[in-house]
Amino acid sequence: MTVRHSRIVDRALTRLKLRQLRLLVAVGAHGNIQNAARELGISQPAATKMIQDLELDFEVKLFNRTNRGVVPTVFGETLIRHGKLIFTQVSNAAQELDDLNEGNSGRVVVGTLLAASTSLLPAAIEILLTDRPNVAVKISEGTNEVLMPGLLSGEIDMVVGRLPSHRHRDKIRQEKLLQDHILAVVGPQHPLAGKSDVSFAQTKPFGWILPPLETTLRRQADHFFIGQQQYVPPVTVESVSYLANRALLQSRNLIGLMPAAVVTQDFSNGHLSQLDWTVPFGHGPIGISLRADDDLSPAGRAFKAALHQAAQDNRFRYSSK
């Protein structure tokens, strides 16, 4: 730790006020000091003085003036981001206190990707609630592009699903739970259902259900299609909704790409069929993504342990052929 860093930390601990951070976040949102001051119910000169005090304390320039207002510098953007995280944590603390006051023993907010939503996550919740029946659990479903910003801002405690391989890696830590692979899935009525040794050429007349463009799996699928003589599916449905995908597969002769961890139960009850074609891409770990510089609440730690236990108990269900 440098002398300058120690000096700034000391000033922040002794002089920084939440009101200053509220103003900083508001100025970043409005791009205008006057509007931010009006939002906080203070005068513009007072707001300007508060920003100047922040710049003196942190020894950096936080905003650049333009003819349209003010724009955060890289230092301003960084402090705004940390300010938002602080306010989210304060809100989370208030919510947890409210939960405890109502008889709940803590709260955990979990983001889930498709690979974890149908088996792993319900099993972990069952384990958690058996041990801690009063924990409040909130689940948010989406892609990494949607969930990771919520994780980084503190709105989500953890994200469970396919571990991102590149983006956000410097700001999160990951815990691997199990290895998953992608299967080609069709409805039981599909002409290729039940056929042995299906070739990719046999799949070409049919449409595909694919994940969104921003996902790693979609990029891998597109790269594979290009390698197959620039193949373009006759029909493409872009969706991460498992319920919608399952209904489409059952009603139309489409082919879907599904994590093995998701479709096991629907294979066993006959709702879907596994296409006898080995998907040459999509292998990857399922796990937990957490903020790199944050500790979980007791409820969060209990749920993380439940996820590890659920993965261990059900590992045989997700193994490759």
Side-chain angles (χ1 to χ4, degrees), residues 99 104 106-110 121 124-125 128-129 132 134-140 299 303:
D99 290 336
N104 296 324
R107 177 183 179 88
V108 58
V109 182
V110 184
L121 196 61
I125 292 174
L128 175 72
L129 295 182
R132 298 181 175 223
N134 292 323
V135 169
V137 181
K138 178 181 177 181
I139 299 173
S140 297
F303 188 70

Side-chain angles (χ1 to χ4, degrees), residues 39-58:
E39 180 182 315
L40 269 66
I42 60 176
S43 67
Q44 182 173 345
T48 301
K49 178 65 164 55
M50 289 169 67
I51 292 173
Q52 290 172 343
D53 289 342
L54 279 172
E55 290 179 328
L56 287 173
D57 286 341
F58 285 96

Side-chain angles (χ1 to χ4, degrees), residues 59-184:
E59 301 180 13
V60 293
K61 187 176 180 62
L62 297 175
F63 295 95
N64 288 321
R65 292 187 176 274
T66 70
N67 55 4
R68 295 186 177 183
V70 294
V71 177
T73 65
V74 64
F75 304 108
E77 289 177 349
T78 299
L79 195 54
I80 288 171
R81 175 168 55 83
H82 283 285
K84 289 179 178 178
L85 185 59
I86 288 171
F87 291 127
T88 299
Q89 293 297 341
V90 170
S91 176
N92 289 345
Q95 180 66 65
E96 192 165 339
L97 290 174
D98 190 43
D99 290 336
L100 291 169
N101 190 49
E102 293 181 359
N104 296 324
S105 57
R107 177 183 179 88
V108 58
V109 182
V110 184
T112 179
L113 304 166
L114 179 60
S117 61
T118 61
S119 298
L120 178 63
L121 196 61
I125 292 174
E126 178 66 26
I127 293 170
L128 175 72
L129 295 182
T130 298
D131 294 337
R132 298 181 175 223
N134 292 323
V135 169
V137 181
K138 178 181 177 181
I139 299 173
S140 297
E141 188 174 18
T143 64
N144 271 319
E145 296 297 317
V146 174
L147 297 175
M148 285 301 168
L151 175 67
L152 295 175
S153 69
E155 298 171 29
I156 295 174
D157 295 313
M158 66 188 76
V159 175
V160 185
R162 281 295 183 102
L163 295 177
S165 56
H166 297 294
R167 298 192 64 183
H168 312 293
R169 283 290 296 274
D170 58 330
K171 299 175 183 177
I172 63 174
R173 55 189 173 91
Q174 299 176 335
E175 296 183 11
K176 179 180 175 181
L177 296 174
L178 48 92
Q179 190 76 10
D180 194 36
H181 59 292
I182 297 297
L183 301 177

Side-chain angles (χ1 to χ4, degrees), residues 1-17 20 54-60 79 82 86:
M1 183 181 294
T2 65
V3 174
R4 179 175 181 274
H5 179 263
S6 299
R7 182 172 65 249
I8 292 174
V9 169
D10 182 65
R11 290 176 185 170
L13 291 175
T14 58
R15 299 173 58 176
L16 182 64
K17 299 179 177 63
Q20 289 176 300
L54 279 172
E55 290 179 328
L56 287 173
D57 286 341
F58 285 96
E59 301 180 13
V60 293
L79 195 54
H82 283 285
I86 288 171

